[in-house]
């Protein structure tokens, strides 16, 4: 007897369950106790991979095989990424309890390095980036994660976007950064004050005072190159 058709409609069944329970009903590897069990599990997983039932950060159900997951992400990070990417998994199922089930249905796990690359070219206000850095901070526990975020985009006070916090300086508290004068500070990569967060220091951004900026060798070189 062909038992595979018994799995038909399983994805729709998952979509009818409470969101917190859906992933728990995905049979993970090791479930099969017999050849019949294995056939049924494979068909269920295939069905569940291609049907929208997985809770998304945007509030809509996602097709698991097209979904993106940042492991361990909290609500704020999932919401911010959901504002940029359409297929981000809701934070409620991002923990280790659901990892095996989501892997079984083909959810793509995003590491921090890949996330930094994906964010390249994203156009958002500096305050959005500041919220993103706060949301990412709990995921950066050691030097490995620091290296993975080496290419994280950073908005500057003069309106530019640059790649990598290590090339920037934090001038938090300088009133000049909130005025038009900041447009003239192009010799220094000063982080926009609305985006300045402690995470950037952990990722290599340097602290700077007005004196530091005015004595920067890059400014001296710029002045030397001017045609007075």
């Amino acid at each position: 007897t062909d038992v595979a058709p018994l799995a038909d409609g399983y994805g729709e069944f998952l979509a009818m369950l409470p969101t917190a329970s859906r992933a728990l009903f995905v049979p993970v590897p090791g479930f099969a106790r017999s050849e019949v069990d294995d056939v049924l599990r494979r068909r269920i997983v295939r069905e569940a991979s291609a049907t929208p039932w997985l809770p998304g950060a945007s509030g809509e159900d996602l097709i698991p095989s097209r979904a993106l997951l940042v492991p361990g992400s909290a609500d704020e990070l999932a919401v911010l990424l959901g504002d940029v990417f359409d297929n981000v998994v809701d934070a409620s199922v991002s923990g280790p309890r659901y990892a095996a089930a989501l892997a079984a249905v083909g959810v793509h796990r995003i590491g921090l390095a890949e996330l930094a690359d994906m964010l390249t070219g994203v156009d958002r206000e500096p305050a959005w980036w500041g919220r993103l850095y706060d949301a990412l901070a709990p995921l950066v526990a050691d030097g490995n994660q620091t290296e993975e975020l080496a290419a994280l985009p950073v908005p500057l006070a003069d309106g530019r976007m640059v790649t990598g916090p290590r090339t920037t300086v934090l001038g938090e508290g300088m009133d000049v950064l909130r005025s038009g004068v900041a447009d003239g500070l192009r010799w220094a990569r000063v982080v926009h004050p609305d985006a300045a967060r402690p995470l950037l220091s952990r990722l290599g951004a340097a602290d700077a005072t007005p004196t530091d900026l005015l004595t920067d060798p890059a400014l001296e070189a710029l002045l030397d190159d001017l045609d007075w």
Side-chain angles (χ1 to χ4, degrees):
T1 302
D2 185 9
V3 298
L6 295 176
D8 291 349
Y10 197 85
E12 296 176 3
F13 160 71
L14 292 176
M16 297 172 62
L17 296 174
T19 55
S21 303
R22 296 175 185 176
L24 300 178
F25 283 83
V26 174
V28 298
F31 166 83
R33 303 296 181 183
S34 67
E35 183 178 345
V36 171
D37 289 341
D38 188 51
V39 170
L40 188 57
R41 187 194 74 84
R42 291 176 183 273
R43 183 61 175 265
I44 286 176
V45 168
R46 185 190 310 170
E47 169 81 12
S49 300
T51 307
W53 61 266
L54 185 63
S58 64
E60 297 183 359
D61 289 343
L62 307 176
I63 296 174
S65 59
R66 302 177 187 175
L68 304 175
L69 168 69
V70 178
S73 59
D75 288 339
E76 178 72 355
L77 179 57
V79 169
L80 288 168
L81 295 179
D83 176 52
V84 179
F85 309 109
D86 295 332
N87 50 350
V88 176
V89 174
D90 188 77
S92 63
V93 290
S94 68
R97 181 186 185 190
Y98 305 100
L102 299 191
V105 291
V107 174
H108 179 62
R109 294 166 62 91
I110 305 172
L112 294 180
E114 183 178 357
L115 178 59
D117 289 339
M118 290 172 59
L119 289 168
T120 300
V122 169
D123 184 15
R124 290 295 186 274
E125 294 295 321
W128 183 93
W129 289 98
R131 291 171 57 201
L132 178 70
Y133 302 149
D134 284 339
L136 284 172
L139 301 182
V140 183
D142 55 39
N144 291 330
Q145 283 98 16
T146 299
E147 288 299 322
E148 288 185 67
L149 290 175
L152 190 65
V154 182
L156 302 185
D158 60 18
R160 290 179 294 167
M161 286 290 297
V162 297
T163 299
R166 289 177 183 170
T167 68
T168 66
V169 295
L170 295 166
E172 194 171 4
M174 298 186 203
D175 292 338
V176 66
L177 298 182
R178 297 191 180 276
S179 68
V181 179
D183 293 338
L185 298 175
R186 298 185 70 85
W187 73 88
R189 294 185 165 191
V190 182
V191 177
H192 193 287
D194 291 341
R197 293 296 193 278
L199 176 64
L200 297 181
S201 292
R202 295 168 59 190
L203 297 179
D207 292 321
T209 66
T211 300
D212 293 329
L213 295 179
L214 293 175
T215 57
D216 190 327
L219 174 59
E220 183 176 347
L222 179 65
L223 295 175
D224 289 341
D225 290 340
L226 288 178
D227 183 2
W228 297 96

